[in-house]
Amino acid sequence: MKTFKKTYIEITSVCNLACTFCPQTKRQSNFIKIDDFTKTLDEIKPHSNYIYFHVKGEPLLHPKIDELLDLSHERGFKVNITTNGTLIVKNKHKIINKPALRQMNFSLHSFDGHEGSTNKEAYITNILDFVKEAVATTPMLFSLRLWNLDTDNTTNIERSRNREVLEIIEREFQLDYKIEEKFVRGSGLKIANRVYLNQDHEFQWPDLKEAEDEGKGFCHALRNQAAILVDGTVVPCCLDGEGVINLGNIHKTPFSDIVEGERANKLFDGFSRREVVEELCRKCGYRQRFSV
């Protein structure tokens, strides 16, 4: 039986931002219902202990995120949330003391990625205030993400916009160094107890309209991860935000059968041979990071 280091559960397909780096989903706007979420947890329990509230959508928009976290804890899951952080003040009381919540990932590049963003200072400090409070009162981990680097991180615009963010982080955590002095792309820089800063290149989401690569290489899809969209569609990874590689639906077929189905096994076996059998995977820029 396949087991996964992490299983992504999309609890909503709705987002409150429209970031340039994240294509808007063409799927129907939806929020997972409590009964469907409970069923999802029961289906994946034999396969995974760690779940991520993430694919598309902003998880802090879900009006019952506190109940979802309680249900996860009751079933022994540890939860990781990826968020743009804009709703952290409004929703802090729903999440901060939830024992299921293991880690929060804040996509700080969302501010500059969204055309209508205003007041970067307030945006960053609200997130950091929450992080500092949670570190002091919970065992939670935090990843502050700036995934907006170009190939050499030398453009003046990029240096300027990220320096503003880094200056606020340096000030709020009373760092005695400039973050750039210790930065290693792709590696987490520990800036405080259980708080890490991650900077990396922006990546292209896979799209069937993009050019294919040579069709050779590897990916961790269905090897250490799987994802379930808000309507129950199972896909191999968190980057199939449109459900192109539809492996089945947990409302019609057991999850265990889906991840051992013909299409799933062909994908899995293909990567074992370093062959990319799915068209979408051959058009995935993120997968190329593993194509060695």
Side-chain angles (χ1 to χ4, degrees):
M1 181 173 63
K2 290 187 178 74
T3 57
F4 306 111
K5 182 179 179 181
K6 47 193 173 183
T7 300
Y8 293 89
I9 300 177
E10 183 186 69
I11 62 174
T12 179
S13 56
V14 180
C15 190
N16 61 327
L17 300 183
C19 296
T20 55
F21 57 81
C22 183
Q24 299 298 294
T25 181
K26 301 178 182 66
R27 294 181 285 119
Q28 182 179 356
S29 298
N30 203 353
F31 291 84
I32 199 167
K33 297 177 176 60
I34 294 296
D35 289 347
D36 290 342
F37 182 75
T38 302
K39 173 182 171 60
T40 299
L41 293 183
D42 292 341
E43 289 273 339
I44 68 172
K45 184 57 184 173
H47 300 269
S48 186
N49 293 318
Y50 292 89
I51 54 179
Y52 286 62
F53 290 174
H54 180 52
V55 177
K56 288 294 183 72
E58 169 50 52
L60 295 188
L61 277 174
H62 199 292
K64 296 183 177 179
I65 191 169
D66 48 349
E67 293 183 44
L68 303 184
L69 288 167
D70 288 340
L71 288 166
S72 301
H73 178 63
E74 289 171 9
R75 285 159 175 76
F77 288 99
K78 290 296 183 182
V79 179
N80 301 263
I81 293 178
T82 297
T83 173
N84 59 43
T86 56
L87 304 173
I88 195 62
V89 173
K90 180 180 179 181
N91 289 281
K92 178 179 75 170
H93 67 287
K94 291 186 177 182
I95 63 176
I96 193 166
N97 290 313
K98 294 300 184 183
L101 190 49
R102 171 185 174 270
Q103 178 170 324
M104 292 193 69
N105 307 312
F106 288 96
S107 299
L108 302 184
H109 47 282
S110 299
F111 185 92
D112 289 309
H114 178 69
E115 189 174 320
S117 295
T118 58
N119 200 341
K120 183 181 289 188
E121 173 86 17
Y123 167 70
I124 299 297
T125 54
N126 283 340
I127 291 172
L128 298 186
D129 285 347
F130 170 81
V131 169
K132 288 187 286 186
E133 180 180 349
V135 166
T137 58
T138 78
M140 232 188 298
L141 299 166
F142 294 94
S143 172
L144 307 174
R145 294 177 172 177
L146 279 171
W147 288 2
N148 61 359
L149 304 183
D150 64 10
T151 53
D152 55 9
N153 194 25
T154 58
T155 64
N156 290 331
I157 292 176
E158 181 180 74
R159 284 204 305 268
S160 173
R161 70 185 183 188
N162 283 352
R163 181 90 289 271
E164 292 177 66
V165 175
L166 299 180
E167 281 179 358
I168 299 170
I169 293 172
E170 290 163 0
R171 182 190 74 214
E172 292 297 313
F173 286 99
Q174 300 179 350
L175 302 183
D176 59 0
Y177 58 87
K178 288 192 178 298
I179 288 171
E180 290 95 338
E181 296 171 1
K182 298 189 177 184
F183 161 68
V184 177
R185 187 187 70 80
S187 298
L189 174 65
K190 186 175 182 178
I191 60 173
N193 183 34
R194 288 182 276 119
V195 182
Y196 298 84
L197 176 69
N198 295 88
Q199 297 186 78
D200 212 327
H201 296 159
E202 182 177 324
F203 65 88
Q204 284 290 121
W205 282 72
D207 192 304
L208 291 176
K209 294 181 292 186
E210 297 296 325
E212 290 192 16
D213 60 23
E214 75 287 352
K216 300 293 182 182
F218 179 74
C219 180
H220 295 287
L222 291 181
R223 200 167 300 267
N224 72 3
Q225 66 168 286
I228 304 170
L229 303 182
V230 68
D231 67 352
T233 299
V234 178
V235 292
C237 78
C238 64
L239 293 180
D240 187 359
E242 294 304 306
V244 173
I245 308 175
N246 185 340
L247 302 176
N249 192 294
I250 61 169
H251 301 308
K252 299 177 182 178
T253 307
F255 181 78
S256 295
D257 292 345
I258 292 172
V259 297
E260 295 292 352
E262 182 179 2
R263 189 173 188 180
N265 283 332
K266 283 184 177 179
L267 181 146
F268 183 95
D269 294 341
F271 282 131
S272 297
R273 302 188 304 270
R274 301 306 191 262
E275 295 177 6
V276 186
V277 302
E278 288 284 350
E279 179 184 1
L280 186 70
C281 299
R282 295 194 295 271
K283 299 178 176 182
C284 177
Y286 195 80
R287 180 191 62 78
Q288 294 168 3
R289 299 184 182 195
F290 310 109
S291 296
V292 294

